[in-house]
Structure formats: C-alpha cells, structure tokens
C-alpha cells in the first residue's frame, strides 16, 4: 500500500515538474531552431538567433529594463525596510491597519493601476514623466507591497531579546540597527529586493501604459515584435533574459544569503 | 551596612502597575550592598522579571525610586546604566561568533581593540570557555551557550549583573555544576549579582541573601539559613523546602514557651514564641527532617503516635506520611537505615524538638 502510494507520489511529482519545465524546454528548443520558422530538430541547431540579439534593437531595451529593475529593487528595498521597521518592528500605533494598507495594492489589477497612473500624470500635468521616471515610479508602487511582505516577515521573526541584550551592553539605537537588526534581516531585505527586481524586469501590464515611443522596456519590445513576427529570436530573447535573471538571483543570494528565508531551511 | 558604604542597588517603594489597576510589583524596597549575591525567589508570575527589568531600565516604575550606586535612575535608558543582564534564553547574537558576542559590550562602549581583546580573553577565562572563540552559538551546547552569555555580560565590567533564571534551560546535573561556577565567578570578580529564580535550591545554595517574593510583594528577606529556619509565613515555609503546616486551634504563652493546641486533641510545645502574639497564631510549621522516630516507650513532650500512611524511599533518606490524628498527616524525613521494621500500616512514635516548631500568624 505504502509502496503504491510512494509510486503514485513520484509519478505525480514528476508530472508537476514536467508541467513546470515544459514551457522552458520548448522555448529553449525554439531558441536554437535552425530555421526562422520555429522547428524542433535535435540534430541541427544554431546559436545565430542569440547573435542577432547583439544589436541595439534588443540591447537598448534590455539595458533600460535592467537599469529600471535595479533602481526599483534598491528603492523598494529601502522603502519597504523603513515601512516594515515601523510596522512590524516598532509596532507603531495602528500597525495592523497600516500593514493591510501597505499590502492592499496587491489586490488592485495592474491594468487598473496603469490607467490610474497615466490619468494622474496627465491630469497633474506631469505627462512628460512618462518613460523612465514613470516606469520607475510605477514599478515601485507595484513592488513595494511584495518587498514589505518579505521584509516584515523577517522582522516579525526577529527575537526582540537580542535588541535588549545589545541595549544593556551599551549599544545605541543606531548601533543596534547596524550591528544586530540589519545583519539578521538581511536575507529578508535581499529576497524582497530580488522579487522587486524580477517583477520590474518582467513587467508588461503596467509598463504598457508607461513606456514612451522609442524608449521601451524589454518585455514591451518583445510584445511589439510578436505582433508582426514569430521567429526564434523571441525564444532567444526569453532564454537570454531567463539566464540574466538567474544570474541576478545568484548574485543577490551570494550577498544576502536568503535561500534559508525562502525554503525555511535550518542553516 | 555602614554609612560609608554605598549600596550598589537600592529600590525604594518601587511599584509597577499596568493600566492603573493591575499591580504587578507592589511597593518593593530592597538594598543590595556592593559585592553581594542576592536572589529574588518566587513562584511564576510573582513579578521577578518585572522587577529585574525595572532595574535594567526596560520598564520604568509606576512609582518609587531605583538607585544604582547612589544615583537615581529614573529616565536613564538601559544602555547608559552600566548593568549586565543574562537572559533566560541567553539571547546570544546568532550571526556572531563567541568572540564577537563577548566583544560586543566593550566595543559598544568604545574601548580600544586591545582593551576589547583583553576583556574578551579574561571573560572567557572566567567562564572557562577558551578555545571556542570562533564558534557560532548554534554550534555550542546549552551549557556552553550559557557560559558565553555570562562571559558576554561580564566582559564590559558592569557594576551590577542581573540574571533572569539563567540556568532554567539546563539539565539538572549541569545546573548543579553551573551553580558552583556562577558563585565562583561572582566571588572572583567581586561583582554584585541579582539573581532571579523560582528554584529555591538554586537561591539557597548560591546567595548571600534571598528575597522571597509573592504576588508582587516581598514576603521575606534574609540569609538563606535564616529564611529556611524562621519562615515568617506559611507561604515562605511552603515555598522554601518541605514543611508540615498544621492549623493551630489555640495557643497559650507560658513565659516564652507556647502550648499549641491542634485539631484531633493534639498538643505541642514550642520554644519559639517569637514576635507573634499568642492570639494571632493560626499555624505552625515543622520541617520534616526535624521530626524524629522515637524509641518505643519513650516519654516526654511533643511525642506523637501514628500510623504510617505512605512511604517513599528516596535513596539516602525516606519520606513517611504519618497519620497522627484524624485530620493531621505529618511528613517525616528519616534516614533509610532507620527504616527497619517500618512499613505502611506500622505504628510509629514521633518526637519533635520544641525548638523546631515555628508558630505562624498566616
Ligand atoms: N504588559 C503587561 N500587562 C499586564 N500584565 C503584565 C504585563 N507584563 C507582565 N504582566 C503580569 O505581571 C506578572 C508578573 O510577571 P513577571 O514576568 O514579572 O513574572 P515572573 O515572576 O518573572 O514569572 P516567571 O517565573 O514565570 O518568569 C504576571 O502575572 C504577568 O501576567
Ligand atoms: Mg520571569
């Protein structure tokens, strides 16, 4: 019986893994497709599509997206850390309500947010801020709730006795933040920033409203391209951005050491 | 205490209440002279931690005054009080090695690198934890974590060290060993220790003085032997060690000797009239080890006869519960070698020294 269960478990588990991995496998295969129609042939493949990415048509949007994502990650990280500190750590008056408020943008569809931001910018006469500044602001609005969530969790888990221990040992407020709180919530901050980076880098629904002609993010460029042609270069873009994001995650993890946070492991 | 000596800690009528009506610590006054080991002993929830937190500065008293080395501490934050604190769960910094943990205090106080290193070395030496400098707290056993916590607290050389049930997470053997070490460290450093515990053995074995607390008030204060031998109330008698608390129906005073009439027609003579007026006496306390088995046919005062109701052999000695009258069960502690011929149901004669019977008012 238990053997049957365990076989069933593995079958089911493999199925799920396959389900998750299949789209990536397809994209990967398509990106090395030898013909401009996407075909799958194991015996002939080419990297020429990746070579074609090395033009400003693709590089410029990539650099813009990466730049925006990096700025968004840093600003969201800072804002969310400050917010989480007040709400989750100091438990300021009404902290529960403020927390709900901070998380509430998660419930608003991105399209609605996009329309709202554009309406706001135009009615406030700030239309010229469309493009990079608007994208950064919009993405921050989008990502802060995620980052607050992750950072607040690590603050809730922080043992307040450590702060008292530091205090009785003579540490000032700033020294306690610097030497005790920040090092211990660093994984939370970095996982929050990683999420912000990925969300910003991949964002379509909000960016659609905020890009300005001639200055487009990578996902928007992909979508525009997709309207006219479906060739392996799209797959190559996707594979390349996937690799880039993996590299970013790896980098952030090296600095922040947050695998523990995400897997809840005991390190 | 002579006038020239400044007490390290003084609590004067300290009260802490929450929300105006929940009084957690009620008018506690306490003087701890320099270099003394004082224990605050009491059951769970009696306000020990609250008292300690007020001395440390984490809570402000609702009224009353706290002085450290003669200086009023109202409004002085914990980081400025120059006090050490050992937490029940140690609260070691998990991201720092033993070395870094212990160095934290001296570093925050702005000591130089060499001073800090010297402070760490001598603190680790005091707690015998040399060689563990580069370990992280999670790589240490409970006892080693405890020592690290102690070393971290003494490294900045605070004037006073507060300890909140520091041994309660250790197993019995280690706890007993650590008691001795703690006392040694305290004597070696000549530091004032205020030690909070609910374990009376701990308090009795280490302290110069014990403060027994109950429901936020000081129930009794004194040297351990004094408290053990002369408890002032049933609460203290019951909390410190084992005791028989027998209700007294009537007490009569004959020139310093008291005749106590108990239920069931029993009567005992006590030589300790103390300060309690005979009319106020409602109870008497008899320690189980002060009840002896009498030889058959012995006569004299304070001689009781009864039937053994329960018998527990504890190795070195045994505990008997003896039915001396209808509603009076007397706990008796006897050496195991005297147990011959005694079993449940046997009749035994018991003798109680008149000096060992402590009359109590409440
Ligand atoms: N913030 C608070 N508001 C109201 N009551 C409180 C508060 N903090 C503590 N108390 C109460 O004060 C009493 C004393 O608490 P305290 O922690 O000092 O007890 P303790 O003697 O240290 O007990 P233990 O041995 O269990 O640690 C408890 O009854 C507790 O419920
Ligand atoms: Mg306590």
């Amino acid at each position: 019986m238990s053997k049957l269960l365990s076989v069933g478990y593995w079958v089911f588990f493999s199925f799920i893994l396959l389900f998750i991995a299949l789209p990536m496998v397809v994209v990967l295969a398509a990106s090395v497709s030898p013909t401009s129609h996407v075909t799958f042939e194991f015996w002939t493949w080419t990297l020429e599509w990746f070579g074609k990415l090395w033009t400003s048509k693709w590089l410029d949007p990539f650099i813009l997206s990466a730049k925006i994502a990096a700025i968004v990650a840093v600003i969201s990280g800072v804002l969310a850390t400050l917010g989480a500190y007040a709400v989750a750590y100091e438990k300021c008056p009404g902290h529960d309500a403020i927390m709900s408020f901070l998380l509430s943008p998660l419930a608003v569809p991105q399209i609605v947010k996009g329309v709202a931001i554009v309406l706001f910018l135009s009615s406030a006469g700030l239309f010229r801020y469309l493009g990079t500044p608007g994208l950064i602001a919009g993405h921050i609005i989008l990502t802060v709730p995620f980052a607050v969530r992750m950072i607040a969790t690590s603050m809730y888990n922080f043992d307040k006795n450590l702060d008292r221990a530091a205090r009785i040992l003579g540490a000032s407020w700033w020294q306690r933040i610097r030497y005790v709180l920040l090092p211990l919530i660093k994984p939370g901050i970095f996982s929050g920033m990683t999420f912000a980076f990925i969300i910003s880098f991949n964002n379509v629904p909000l960016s659609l409203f905020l890009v300005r002609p001639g200055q487009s993010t990578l996902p928007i460029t992909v979508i525009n391209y997709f309207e006219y042609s479906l060739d392996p270069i799209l797959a190559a873009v996707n594979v390349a951005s996937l690799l880039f994001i993996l590299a970013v995650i790896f980098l952030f993890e090296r600095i922040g050491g947050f695998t523990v946070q995400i897997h809840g492991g005991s390190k | 205490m002579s006038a020239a000596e400044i007490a390290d800690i003084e609590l004067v009528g300290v009260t802490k209440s929450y929300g105006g009506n929940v009084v957690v610590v009620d008018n506690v006054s306490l003087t701890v002279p320099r270099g003394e080991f004082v224990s605050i002993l009491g059951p769970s929830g009696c306000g020990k931690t609250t008292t300690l937190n007020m001395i440390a500065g984490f809570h402000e008293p609702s009224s009353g005054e706290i002085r450290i080395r003669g200086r009023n501490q109202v409004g002085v934050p914990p980081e400025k009080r120059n006090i050490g604190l050992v937490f029940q769960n140690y609260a070691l910094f998990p991201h720092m090695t033993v070395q870094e943990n212990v160095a934290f205090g001296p570093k925050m106080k702005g000591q130089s690198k060499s001073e800090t290193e010297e402070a760490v070395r001598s603190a680790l030496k005091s707690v015998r934890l040399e060689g563990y400098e580069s370990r992280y707290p999670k790589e240490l056993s409970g006892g080693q974590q405890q020592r690290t916590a102690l070393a971290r607290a003494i490294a900045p050389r605070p004037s006073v060290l507060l300890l909140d049930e520091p041994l309660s997470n250790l197993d019995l053997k280690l706890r007993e060993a650590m008691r001795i070490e703690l006392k040694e460290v305290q004597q070696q450093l000549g530091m004032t220790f205020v030690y909070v515990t609910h374990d009376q053995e701990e308090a009795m074995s280490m302290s110069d003085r014990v403060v027994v607390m109950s429901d936020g008030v000081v129930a009794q204060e004194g040297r351990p032997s004094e408290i053990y031998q002369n408890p002032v109330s049933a609460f203290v008698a019951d909390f410190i060690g084992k005791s028989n608390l027998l209700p007294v129906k009537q007490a009569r005073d004959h020139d310093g000797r008291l005749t106590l009439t108990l239920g069931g027609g029993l009567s005992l003579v006590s030589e300790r009239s103390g300060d309690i007026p005979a009319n106020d006496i409602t109870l008497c306390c008899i320690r189980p080890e002060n009840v002896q088995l009498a030889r058959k046919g012995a006569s004299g005062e304070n001689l009781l006869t009864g039937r053994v109701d329960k018998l527990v052999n504890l190795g070195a000695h045994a505990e008997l519960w003896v039915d001396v009258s209808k509603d009076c069960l007397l706990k008796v502690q006897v050496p195991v070698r005297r147990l011959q011929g005694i079993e449940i149901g046997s009749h035994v004669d018991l003798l109680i020294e008149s000096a060992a019977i402590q009359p109590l008012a409440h």
Side-chain angles (χ1 to χ4, degrees):
Chain A
M1 183 61 197
S2 73
K3 180 147 189 194
L4 198 68
L5 265 183
S6 120
V7 169
Y9 167 80
W10 281 110
V11 168
F12 192 64
F13 188 55
S14 317
F15 190 74
I16 290 178
L17 282 186
L18 201 69
F19 186 73
I20 295 173
L22 209 54
M24 277 191 271
V25 173
V26 170
V27 169
L28 198 61
S31 72
V32 293
S33 164
T35 59
S36 64
H37 282 285
V38 175
T39 55
F40 303 107
E41 294 171 11
F42 291 114
W43 50 95
T44 53
W45 55 275
T46 169
L47 286 178
E48 77 168 281
W49 307 110
F50 286 93
K52 288 204 169 143
L53 295 180
W54 214 254
T55 57
S56 72
K57 179 176 163 50
W58 293 108
L59 272 182
D60 288 351
F62 166 76
I63 289 168
L64 181 69
S65 276
K67 198 172 79 185
I68 290 174
I71 295 172
V72 166
V74 170
I75 297 181
S76 287
V78 171
L79 290 180
T81 304
L82 293 174
Y85 178 81
V87 173
Y89 189 77
E90 291 292 354
K91 303 249 162 61
C92 60
H95 59 92
D96 278 338
I98 298 175
M99 191 57 161
S100 313
F101 177 74
L102 283 176
L103 298 182
S104 63
L106 293 176
V108 181
Q110 290 192 36
I111 302 273
V112 177
K113 274 185 264 201
V115 172
I117 293 170
V118 171
L119 283 179
F120 168 77
L121 289 178
S122 66
S123 61
L126 301 170
F127 221 73
R128 63 180 180 285
Y129 289 116
L130 276 186
T132 310
L135 281 166
I136 290 174
H139 285 186
I140 288 173
I141 293 173
L142 181 67
T143 55
V144 158
F146 288 95
V148 165
R149 242 224 124 91
M150 308 221 64
I151 300 171
T153 305
S154 58
M155 297 234 193
Y156 283 129
N157 290 337
F158 179 83
D159 178 5
K160 275 284 176 72
N161 272 332
L162 297 179
D163 184 69
R164 303 170 122 216
R167 205 166 172 200
I168 203 76
L169 286 165
S172 66
W173 176 79
W174 173 242
Q175 286 173 320
R176 300 197 301 275
I177 302 279
R178 163 91 178 69
Y179 296 113
V180 182
L181 181 64
L182 282 182
L184 286 172
I185 61 159
K186 196 171 84 174
I189 295 178
F190 273 84
S191 60
M193 280 171 52
T194 310
F195 267 77
F197 189 97
I198 297 171
I199 291 168
S200 165
F201 188 81
N202 286 336
N203 185 266
V204 172
L206 202 56
S207 303
L208 268 179
F209 293 92
L210 299 170
V211 290
R212 63 170 23 170
Q215 200 191 25
S216 166
T217 63
L218 190 59
I220 302 297
T221 310
V222 168
I223 290 204
N224 288 338
Y225 189 84
F226 181 66
E227 271 183 40
Y228 304 105
S229 49
L230 173 64
D231 62 32
I233 202 164
L234 280 179
V237 171
N238 277 307
V239 171
S241 24
L242 180 70
L243 292 177
F244 172 69
I245 285 186
L246 286 178
V248 168
I249 294 177
F250 179 76
L251 180 75
F252 276 40
E253 151 64 23
R254 284 311 296 269
I255 307 172
F258 55 71
T259 333
V260 194
Q261 166 110 4
I262 291 171
H263 301 308
S266 56
K267 196 169 167 183
Chain B
M1 197 182 69
S2 72
E5 242 177 295
I6 309 174
D8 254 353
I9 304 179
E10 268 176 292
L11 271 61
V12 185
V14 169
T15 297
K16 178 74 186 174
S17 53
Y18 288 105
N21 46 7
V22 189
V23 180
V24 173
V25 173
D26 192 1
N27 197 19
V28 167
S29 294
L30 182 66
T31 304
V32 185
R34 184 167 303 174
E36 203 175 71
F37 193 128
V38 172
S39 289
I40 300 179
L41 174 64
S44 185
C46 72
K48 306 180 297 284
T49 299
T50 309
T51 306
L52 214 62
N53 279 334
M54 285 191 287
I55 300 175
F58 292 121
H59 299 327
E60 284 293 333
S62 310
S63 66
E65 203 172 292
I66 293 174
R67 293 188 212 122
I68 296 173
R69 294 202 158 160
R71 295 231 327 264
N72 187 2
Q73 297 293 311
V74 172
V76 179
E79 60 269 31
K80 297 259 164 64
R81 290 196 180 188
N82 193 26
I83 278 182
L85 178 55
V86 179
F87 291 80
Q88 179 170 357
N89 67 354
Y90 316 139
L92 294 171
F93 304 125
H95 59 300
M96 297 183 195
T97 59
V98 168
Q99 164 88 26
E100 290 163 339
N101 264 285
V102 180
F104 191 84
K107 219 169 101 185
M108 293 304 115
K109 300 215 158 127
Q111 295 188 4
S112 73
K113 209 162 169 228
S114 60
E115 281 173 322
T116 302
E117 267 170 22
E118 183 47 42
V120 172
R121 206 172 12 250
S122 84
L124 287 178
K125 188 158 169 254
S126 295
V127 301
R128 290 195 241 146
L129 204 66
E130 296 130 309
Y132 290 87
E133 286 84 352
S134 56
R135 296 243 196 139
Y136 282 92
K138 61 171 183 279
E139 300 164 347
L140 299 172
S141 72
Q144 290 160 349
Q145 290 181 14
Q146 169 59 61
R147 285 162 213 258
T148 309
L150 184 60
R152 184 180 68 176
I154 61 177
R157 289 298 182 133
S159 55
V160 173
L161 190 65
L162 311 176
L163 303 99
D164 192 356
E165 312 209 20
L167 304 185
S168 61
N169 286 344
L170 304 177
D171 63 53
L172 185 65
K173 267 261 154 49
L174 194 55
R175 207 152 65 210
E176 287 176 350
M178 283 300 293
R179 275 180 208 162
I180 297 168
E181 284 191 26
L182 261 179
K183 181 75 192 171
E184 277 173 8
V185 169
Q186 189 260 340
Q187 282 173 338
Q188 181 196 335
L189 299 177
M191 209 177 263
T192 309
F193 271 36
V194 177
Y195 187 98
V196 158
T197 178
H198 61 253
D199 181 330
Q200 48 111 1
E201 269 186 40
E202 243 170 66
M204 304 297 277
S205 59
M206 293 190 286
S207 324
D208 300 315
R209 212 146 47 89
V210 176
V211 178
V212 184
M213 273 184 82
S214 152
D215 276 336
V217 300
V218 174
Q220 191 172 357
E221 188 187 331
R223 277 184 287 111
S225 56
E226 210 171 280
I227 290 186
Y228 186 81
Q229 275 152 25
N230 303 311
V232 297
S233 66
F235 169 80
V236 177
D238 198 39
F239 193 69
I240 312 265
K242 292 180 173 162
S243 63
N244 292 290
L245 288 167
L246 311 177
V248 173
K249 290 211 162 132
Q250 197 193 20
R252 262 173 302 136
D253 198 338
H254 310 284
D255 324 319
R257 280 169 70 84
L258 283 166
T259 309
L260 308 171
T261 312
L262 313 181
L266 294 177
S267 156
L268 294 173
V269 175
S270 164
E271 271 177 10
R272 301 182 171 191
S273 57
D275 334 316
I276 310 169
N279 285 340
D280 291 350
I281 293 170
T282 59
L283 289 166
C284 67
C285 161
I286 303 164
R287 298 290 186 190
E289 67 273 19
N290 289 334
V291 184
Q292 274 123 38
L293 291 173
R295 264 171 288 120
K296 279 273 175 246
S299 63
E301 60 183 16
N302 294 346
L303 197 63
L304 305 171
T305 306
R307 186 182 153 277
V308 176
D309 192 57
K310 262 190 275 178
L311 192 161
V312 180
N313 192 329
L314 293 168
H317 57 79
E319 275 181 3
L320 308 178
W321 274 260
V322 182
D323 226 341
V324 287
S325 78
K326 187 161 59 39
D327 46 18
C328 181
L329 210 53
L330 203 60
K331 232 181 294 169
V332 183
Q333 183 182 313
V334 294
V336 164
R337 62 190 156 75
R338 304 278 315 265
L339 271 185
Q340 277 141 349
I342 297 177
E343 55 195 40
I344 292 174
S346 320
H347 282 266
V348 289
D349 292 324
L350 303 171
L351 186 66
I352 308 166
E353 272 179 62
S354 56
I357 300 175
Q358 166 94 357
L360 297 169
H362 51 266

